[in-house]
Every structure is written in C-alpha cells, then in structure tokens.
Amino acid sequence: MADFTMPALGADMETGKVVEWLVKAGDRVKPGDVVAVVETHKGAIDVECFLDGVIGDLAALDTELPVGAVLARVAVEGEAAAPAEAARAAAPEAAKPAVAAPAPAPGQRRRQQPHR
C-alpha cells in the first residue's frame, strides 16, 4: 500500500481540510485523477492523485490535517492480487489427496521395488 498525502498547495500552506471526496474505497485511480477537494486558507482546491491503484482507507472529512499527513491508502498494481494469486497457486497442491500404496492382502508380503 502506498500513502496518498496532503500536498502543499501553496508555498505558505501548512494545513488543509478535505471537504469532499470525489472517490470512495474500492475505486480505481490513475495519475491525474482529481480525487478530493481540499480547503486551505486561500480557498477550495481540487487535488489530483499521482498514484495508480485502488483506493483503500480515506481520511475523515472536515478534519484539519498538516501537509504530508496521509489522506488515503492506495493499493498499487500487484499488491491486492498477490495474496489471492498465492492462495490459488497453493490450492491445487493442498487439494490433492495423499495417495498411499495399497495395503497388501492378508497373508501377503509387500514386494520391494527394484533399485534403479
């Protein structure tokens, strides 16, 4: 997961407040997408995301946050799929039943396989 942080929207900006999210958790974003409206002492400004991935957690609305604070978590390409792919790859092995050699009939000895 990558952090999408509060950008400095001006040379003298120290804090900002997200007044509107234009995305929700689970939405796909790419660089250049406008994802939020942030209010500063100079007005409301559209904020672009520079990450490519899927939105996770979002910061609360109307909370004063410093520049650099985490606004959202973004699962970048490959992160969200990796655990699922690993589970699928392991599943065929786990699903195979253990095959044991058949037990010898009563009164018979098991033959030894010749060494090769």
Side-chain angles (χ1 to χ4, degrees):
M1 289 277 217
D3 292 335
F4 170 60
T5 59
M6 175 72 78
L9 300 170
D12 59 344
M13 180 180 162
E14 294 181 13
T15 63
K17 180 173 24 175
V18 177
V19 293
E20 181 182 4
W21 281 110
L22 304 175
V23 295
K24 62 186 179 311
D27 285 354
R28 181 151 214 29
V29 294
K30 60 186 182 311
D33 287 352
V34 176
V35 296
V37 178
V38 172
E39 187 176 282
T40 71
H41 65 281
K42 292 186 178 182
I45 301 171
D46 290 345
V47 176
E48 294 180 9
C49 183
F50 296 100
L51 299 169
D52 188 2
V54 178
I55 296 289
D57 297 326
L58 298 171
L61 290 175
D62 298 320
T63 301
E64 199 76 25
L65 298 169
V67 169
V70 176
L71 296 181
R73 304 275 290 152
V74 179
V76 293
E77 197 64 36
E79 281 186 340
E85 287 174 14
R88 274 195 301 271
E93 291 300 317
K96 290 181 183 175
V99 178
Q108 292 182 343
R109 288 184 42 185
R110 189 175 291 208
R111 290 189 180 178
Q112 296 290 326
Q113 295 292 328
H115 295 291
R116 295 182 188 200

